[in-house]
Amino acid sequence: METSPIPVVTVQTAPFEDQRPGTNGLRRKTAVFEGKKNYLQNYIQSVLSSIDLRDRQGCTMVVGSDGRYFSRAAIEVIVQMAAANGIGRLVIGHSGLLSTPAVSCIIRKIKAIGGIILTASHNPGGPGGDFGIKFNVANGGPSPDTVMEKIYQVSRTLEEYAICPDLRIDLSRLGRQEFDLENKFKPFRVEIVDSVEVYLQMLRNIFDFTAIKSLLTGPDQPKIHIDAMNGVMGPYVRRILCDELGAPANSAVNCVPLEDFGGRPPEPNLTYATSLVESMKGGDFGFGAAFDADGDRYMILGENGFFVNPSDSVAIMGANLSIIPYFRQYGVKGFARSMATSAALDRVAKAMKLALYETPTGWRYFGNLMDSGRCSVCGEESFGTGSDHIREKDGLWSVLVWLSIMAAKKQGVEQIVREHWARFGRNYFCRFDYEGLDPRAAFYLMRDLEAVISDKAFTSQKFAVGDHMYSVEKADNFEYIDPVDGTVARNQGLRIIFNDASRLVFRMSGSGGGMGTTIRIYAESFERDPERHNRETQVVLGPLIAIALKISNIHERTGRRGPNVIT
């Protein structure tokens, strides 16, 4: 019996004023997406309508999620709306799961027009947690500012959306599913693909898997401990590190993706990855790593819980790229880091005689640099590192770089870090996060602080803290001019640079889930003398932090006694 074509329905709606995407797409409390009528549908229609109609008709898109609560329901809506809006084919991860790096990889491999990723990164999941929708463009990277602005402008005037409410797919069944739609000449196609396979094939072509496997299975193997934090990375860790590279099955924990990530924020840092930290402190393991919900961020720990600062991590990777077959084949073109990230990578770039680009926070700013052949490796202090193999930060790629370095040098994590400091000097670095602040209070605090540091007299100011004297050399609101297309990004963070190269940076973060505003304070100080590389970070940076607290009055103005998170 022949089935009748699935109808395409146009639904009347009204615009929402708060659908401007931020650094990582649109993030809100899950209850907003789930409970506000048409909130999800409006934003998906805005994303689809931002693609030129001629490009949209019959094109291919990728869809994946980090497995958080509401993802399956949202994927069903996305499929129904993609079909109604002329998309020809959707490629979706098995059970709806795809890591953010895997989405970028697949977009590039199959030459899709883009991809929709359902993730709020390291933010909590579950009904009371956060939900996010991120649109990656055809190069596999996050939407540039022009695309995000287009999505927002569409959302402000949206009056209707198109959907096929009767279309149903089975996310658990690998393979192709086809659907005939009313008034469409070609069937709409959905392909459910293995979440790991394409990404794994890419990694095989980047790394020396034989060398890594020898490290993990040889007589002097370091015991490793990997925490997938009940996010999307569980299947990737099991398949790649355990099955492919020989790590024991019991070396990977929390590998079952859960909708609420086991009730903890899936954030790989010293505050939230506490079970990994405690396990590593026991001294039984030589290498530890944790991943965030969607697999683009990571944390590295060495024996006895030795913490690798993310700013150091990207610098150490940069200094050792000749170990990786991919870079031996394609060469190293240059480096990039976000402005808030420490200058450790700058010193490596200088030694290697390579260009170093300083960008605003947000992975989208690295895309143009990589697409134009200016940059091979880039990183952010927020536990994200990646290279031009895709256009996203990549947690598992970063872990495999570290294991490759350990295999080649036959050294542990701490020894590798200390030898790097001895060669290049140490950039002491920390970040204070003040989360959930009243948005108005945060705005006025930053406005007033900018007025203080913009005063001409400020650039000649000296701050005495204990026996330390800091002289201001430069203070500004960071502005970035893209060297590729000349676009300008203004108001990217307040920075104070002292004459000894110490820095303070103040940023308001746009990556929250709608629960107030976050202000981040970054402090950095460089130390060349190896005899002074063993000091406690908070002791070294204490005077700078005291200056930051004094000139911002953040405790007095917010009623806080201290930061929520220190990294």
Side-chain angles (χ1 to χ4, degrees), residues 284-397:
D284 293 333
F285 300 100
F287 179 87
F291 301 103
D292 72 342
D294 63 319
D296 59 355
R297 299 171 197 250
Y298 70 102
M299 176 174 70
I300 301 291
L301 296 176
E303 194 170 356
N304 301 315
F306 181 86
F307 171 66
V308 182
N309 185 285
S311 297
D312 282 339
S313 184
V314 67
I316 290 164
M317 290 182 196
N320 291 282
L321 290 178
S322 61
I323 288 167
I324 312 298
Y326 176 88
F327 294 105
R328 288 204 300 272
Q329 180 179 353
Y330 295 108
V332 182
K333 305 172 186 82
F335 297 131
R337 63 166 175 84
S338 64
M339 179 272 285
T341 301
S342 92
L345 185 61
D346 306 38
R347 301 182 189 282
V348 175
K350 185 176 181 181
M352 295 174 68
K353 296 182 170 55
L354 293 171
L356 184 287
Y357 299 91
E358 186 178 32
T359 72
T361 294
W363 208 258
R364 64 191 184 277
Y365 293 106
F366 297 134
N368 266 4
L369 297 173
M370 290 189 281
D371 287 347
S372 63
R374 286 171 165 82
C375 170
S376 294
V377 168
C378 41
E380 294 185 329
E381 46 69 38
S382 55
F383 296 85
T385 310
S387 87
D388 57 359
H389 67 291
I390 54 173
R391 295 297 181 268
E392 279 284 4
K393 45 190 176 279
D394 191 341
L396 188 50
W397 174 90

Side-chain angles (χ1 to χ4, degrees), residues 478-500:
F478 180 61
E479 179 178 293
Y480 176 67
I481 302 174
D482 190 304
V484 180
D485 60 19
T487 54
V488 180
R490 296 184 172 87
N491 302 314
Q492 295 299 315
L494 307 178
R495 58 180 183 173
I496 303 167
I497 302 169
F498 300 94
N499 62 2
D500 65 350

